Amino acid sequence: MADIRDITDYLAKDDWSRRRFLQATGLVAATITAGPILEACGGSTGNGTSTTTAVGTIPKPRAGAKIQLLQWNSFVPAADAEIKRQAAEFSTANNVTVTIQTVSGDQLQPKTASAVEAGSGPDIIQMQYGWPHLYDTACLDLTEFVNILKAQLGTVNAVNDAFCKVGGKYLATPYCQVPNAWSFRTDYWGQAGLTDFFTTWDELASAGKALKSKSLPPIAVSLGHAYGDAITMWYPVLWDFGGREVSSDGKKVTINSKETLAAVNWAIDTFKNQYISQNTLSWLDPDNNQAYHSGLITATLNGASIYIKEVYTTATGHKYAAVTNNAGMPKGPKGLESLNLIFNHAVMKWTQEADTAKAFIAYLMQPDNYTKWLNASVGYNAGPFQKLTNADIFNTDPKLKPFVGVVATGKWPGWPAQPSKATSQSQVQFVIVDMFAKACTSGDAKGAIADAEQKLKRIYETPV
Amino acid sequence: MAATRAVIGRRKGVGKARHEIGDTLLGRTFRVYIPVLLFIFITLFPFYWMAITSIKSDSELLDHNRNPLFVIQPTLDHYVLLLTKTAFLRWSLNTAIVAVVSTAISLFCSILAGYSLARLRYKGATAIGWGVFITYLVPPTLLFLPLAFVVAQLHLFNNYLSLILTYPTFLIPFCTWLLMGYFKGIPRELEEAALVDGASRLQAMTKIVLPLALPGILSAGMFAFTLSWNEFLYSLIFMSDQAMKTIPVGVTSELIRGDEFFWGQLMAAALLGSIPVALLYSFFVDYFVAGMTAGAVKG
Amino acid sequence: MGAAVRGLEARGLMGPRVRILDREAPLGYLLLVPLLLLLGLFLAYPFLFGIWLSVTNAQIGDNGHFVGAANYQYERSDTVFIQSFANTITYTAVTTVFKLGLGLLMALLLNQVFPAQRFVRAALLLPWIIPSVLSTLAWRWMFDPTFSVVNWVALHYLHLPSVNWLGTTSTALVSLMIVNTWRGIPFYGISFLAGLQTIPTELYEAARVDGATRFQQFRQITLPMLRPILVVVLLLSTILTFGDFTLPYVLTNCAPYNSTCVLSTWAFQIGVNGGYIGIGAAISLVLFPLLSIIVAGVLIGLRSRD
């Protein structure tokens, strides 16, 4: 059994450039001061000071307990390896058994949904985006627990907070973000006569134009049903031009506006003139990575994975390592917003070991451990609490800075309405992405907006 | 027993060589060989593509300048990684256990039910026969949610039994239907003779009818084995531990990571995962065809 | 066949020895028990529950309450639902025609004598025996807009323009059908081959003596003799294609903009990912009554000829 447990660790050992990896993670050591949570998590340091604060204490794990955590398999295998290492460490220290189960990103939701329907399954589930709202009946109220974490780790990122809080209660603990920023080829950029990376959507279009006029590879972003890359692109486009899918109380569909029209027209214009690639209507999250690594696109919006693979792994032979850089989100006439992939941890109602589960989450969130994990994921993840945002990796590699930057401007699908079942429904139906995709291919902005409006009205105004 | 031989003899007699008088080699080339080759090409090209993908290095995979149909520097890395660094062998074992046992259970149920529905006369037999077939109309896409509830109530999550007991729901209908047809094709006199000689119904069934129905049972078994070997959705939902997954689920959940497809290993897994079933068919394909025969025609 | 006659026969068989298991009815029901137990627990219950869900406003984790036909009403005005419905019909109809035609052709060919026959038969079955989630992934890779080997061959060997297979509304649905047909032909082919082998060669010999052409032989002998298996395979395949989920989900997942949604993937998107399981159940059950009637009709027709 043991050899099966750690099968996923292989890339951490083989595929990853050991030198760069050590460089990234080795710096952790001295900088971290053991937080007060350490004690609550099984005294692995022997620091026995009791820290009963006004908001209560973190529950103690029950010896002999067995818990399971279900999560996606991170793009960065070393990050998963680190979680599993911490789980083993926690298990040994507290005489419990923590099992980490991983599935691929799009398998996580059917597994979660069936666990909720069955009222049985993993004790802790990693919740993507608005799932705490979707599965509110199945998540334990963690308000007290989150308040303890807040007292120790500082304020919570607004997006994590919005997703975790359902009706004023925390149904999940803030866990992390996968920031999405732009990765681009500096060599092509120069060849096209461009100096700075675009900072507005209009500059994106003119950069695309310059690339096209020199017959260089295009800027390319998914216009398909990619649960990450497509929505992290097209929601911000809508918002930055001032478009909103629904009013802030979540009751009135507001998509049909001149702001939306401006955003859609910008998209049509850019697409029709081939300032962005027209090949992307079927793209899933891996497609832009592949295209980039094979030198077929100049820039794309993505998690740090492209950069990580070019610079930190040997798999691509560091082909474009020297000519890859990253940049933040551009702004539009009405603002600068961004959207990132969000994960939070819910403790499920059916668990018999809620205390152990909470203790384990607290253990993962302990600054020492959390930072190790952040460093192991080389910039792919970002922390949700104030005190967890500053991992060394972002300082040792300044090119990763843009991924920190986009966290601050982050919003959630449905914004400015609070996350809800309806915003989730609109998101999984890809209403906004499809609006842009339809407009780009048909050239009919008004038709695409009307179609989106009709769908959104069904979701927000006249649900069954 | 003479009748037995007659039945078998008849089966062997059909499907013999069909060379026609006046058939020239040129005629056969255009009428048979070229179309067969075309079929082979269309059918097997994706497999060629999987094979060639599985032996390309990662950098060659993403190199769009070279001819993708050939490999410059073949490598077995993907196979080595798949076999040594993922639990592929364990997943294969799981798949085999689940497929074998669920096939056995399906055959057991289908043989009994097929015999009952085809050879015994009682009220409601016909209706039940239809009912069994109509269960195929039940759409599986959403039913895995209520089914998950049943599996949870029985505490079968992450247990072989969760798959072993649920796979028969989509295996039994076809197997039963196939075997019903097969049982009908076996002359009643054989069984009745045994009954007159003092055998019980069950003895007549196990000693006379079942041996004669062996090709049909084999066909049904291969059909069931194939479907359970390939099943995806139930396996994804009911199995959680890395060590309990079946091939389709283990491979996709391990080799599609965040925003990366590990194409080389995925394709290697697709090929390796098909080999056991492919071997089964290469040995038994003629029996499979023969077994389908009676069932299908009498169905 | 009169029930009375059957009853008499059955009683005649019982004779003086009245062993319960030798009586047809008790034994008959008894032999059905394992099947009924399994199907009852793992199929009938979830199915009935599914029907119940479709008339409630249930969401994942919340059983909801009875709303009558509201879900069905709601979906009637859903443009994506209508599109999915149409796609499902097109997808099933087109692939069935091709699978039927090509499967028949394959069976006729395989029924000929040629070298390495067993190997060829087994090889042609491969698309059917490979796990479809993995073969569909391979097709996704073959249709990839950037790395498509199909396009590469078309461009470099045949000098045809590249096609963005999965990226335009018309070609994406065609791509789904191509993969489904590729995967489905072998089952048709092998089933038909089985049917062909039961046709006595004497029939053909007699026809040839009468001077019938190959086509006449096919029309007058092969097709009529294949009819029973043809109908059953067609029925089975149609039902399974209507409900096909893995292939459309892995290949396109409804993109581009829901143009390749079929009922199963749309139900999954709304019911599982969106959590509105009541509506999802309604979507996936919408074809059930229609299919039931067709299947019942065909089966009755088939039995009455028996």
Side-chain angles (χ1 to χ4, degrees), chain B residues 14 28 116 121 123 177 286 293, chain C residues 9 24 28-29 113 198 232:
Chain B
V14 294
R28 285 186 64 74
S116 162
R121 292 152 186 161
K123 260 193 191 145
W177 162 76
D286 291 335
T293 309
Chain C
E9 273 181 24
E24 299 209 10
Y29 291 123
V113 177
T198 58
V232 175

Side-chain angles (χ1 to χ4, degrees), chain C residues 251-269:
Chain C
L251 199 63
T252 64
N253 190 15
C254 293
Y257 48 88
N258 288 339
S259 64
T260 57
C261 260
V262 288
L263 289 173
S264 61
T265 45
W266 184 233
F268 189 85
Q269 215 176 79

Side-chain angles (χ1 to χ4, degrees), chain A residues 7-8 73 111 290 294 309, chain B residues 62 239 253-254 260 263:
Chain A
I7 47 160
T8 50
N73 48 14
K111 284 212 73 125
Q290 276 168 197
S294 59
K309 189 153 185 180
Chain B
L62 295 181
M239 293 304 201
S253 71
E254 202 55 48
E260 184 162 26
W263 285 115

Side-chain angles (χ1 to χ4, degrees), chain A residues 237-252:
Chain A
V237 171
L238 174 72
W239 295 330
D240 291 353
F241 281 86
R244 304 285 184 264
E245 63 179 288
V246 69
S247 59
S248 51
D249 61 4
K251 288 187 176 143
K252 184 105 189 77

Side-chain angles (χ1 to χ4, degrees), chain C residues 144-160:
Chain C
D144 188 285
T146 320
F147 302 95
S148 170
V149 63
V150 181
N151 281 348
W152 202 95
V153 170
L155 188 68
H156 288 80
Y157 291 129
L158 308 171
H159 303 288
L160 296 170

Side-chain angles (χ1 to χ4, degrees), chain C:
Chain C
M1 175 111 32
V5 181
R6 285 188 178 183
L8 280 175
E9 273 181 24
R11 244 169 275 146
L13 263 176
M14 275 159 51
R17 293 176 296 116
V18 190
R19 276 192 277 166
I20 188 108
L21 285 186
D22 282 355
R23 286 163 57 197
E24 299 209 10
L27 181 65
Y29 291 123
L30 188 71
L31 293 181
L32 286 176
V33 167
L35 175 140
L36 293 177
L37 267 182
L38 262 181
L39 293 190
L41 185 57
F42 294 107
L43 195 72
Y45 168 77
F47 180 51
L48 294 176
F49 193 71
I51 294 176
W52 166 247
L53 282 177
S54 77
V55 293
T56 67
N57 61 354
Q59 301 187 357
I60 302 258
D62 168 11
N63 282 334
H65 56 83
F66 182 75
V67 294
N71 290 333
Y72 294 92
Q73 290 279 354
Y74 183 72
E75 278 311 305
R76 242 181 25 187
S77 58
D78 177 358
T79 50
V80 185
F81 169 76
I82 292 161
Q83 169 103 60
S84 310
F85 192 92
N87 284 348
T88 309
I89 305 275
T90 317
Y91 178 65
T92 310
V94 173
T95 57
T96 304
V97 167
F98 276 95
K99 282 184 279 191
L100 185 69
L102 292 171
L104 196 55
L105 192 61
M106 178 175 150
L108 291 171
L109 289 171
L110 288 182
N111 203 27
Q112 305 288 325
V113 177
F114 51 83
Q117 194 163 24
R118 204 172 68 181
F119 167 77
V120 172
R121 283 181 183 175
L124 289 185
L125 269 173
L126 278 173
W128 186 63
I129 64 179
I130 187 174
S132 49
V133 60
L134 298 179
S135 62
T136 309
L137 271 175
W139 277 97
R140 194 180 157 81
W141 180 228
M142 286 170 60
F143 283 144
D144 188 285
T146 320
F147 302 95
S148 170
V149 63
V150 181
N151 281 348
W152 202 95
V153 170
L155 188 68
H156 288 80
Y157 291 129
L158 308 171
H159 303 288
L160 296 170
S162 287
V163 176
N164 187 357
W165 289 98
L166 304 174
T168 72
T169 50
S170 48
T171 51
L173 197 60
V174 171
S175 307
L176 282 182
M177 294 182 203
I178 291 175
V179 182
N180 181 285
T181 307
W182 173 81
R183 190 189 60 182
I185 291 174
F187 184 67
Y188 278 78
I190 283 298
S191 306
F192 292 162
L193 178 63
L196 285 180
Q197 302 208 331
T198 58
I199 305 176
T201 31
E202 301 83 52
L203 283 179
Y204 291 101
E205 279 152 19
R208 241 170 279 141
V209 170
D210 292 348
T213 63
R214 281 212 178 83
F215 184 68
Q216 281 171 329
Q217 290 173 31
F218 177 73
R219 280 286 305 276
Q220 307 295 331
I221 303 172
T222 313
L223 272 189
M225 295 293 281
L226 274 184
R227 198 192 63 94
I229 190 166
L230 206 118
V231 171
V232 175
V233 169
L234 207 58
L235 204 58
L236 190 68
S237 156
T238 309
I239 296 169
L240 295 181
T241 313
F242 263 118
D244 193 10
F245 170 73
T246 313
L247 200 164
Y249 180 71
V250 175
L251 199 63
T252 64
N253 190 15
C254 293
Y257 48 88
N258 288 339
S259 64
T260 57
C261 260
V262 288
L263 289 173
S264 61
T265 45
W266 184 233
F268 189 85
Q269 215 176 79
I270 287 207
V272 179
N273 287 343
Y276 293 176
I277 187 179
I279 300 176
I283 294 171
S284 58
L285 286 171
V286 74
L287 279 175
F288 185 77
L290 183 71
L291 279 178
S292 305
I293 293 166
I294 296 173
V295 171
V298 172
L299 284 180
I300 289 169
L302 207 61
R303 299 268 158 170
S304 63
R305 289 227 187 177
D306 208 11

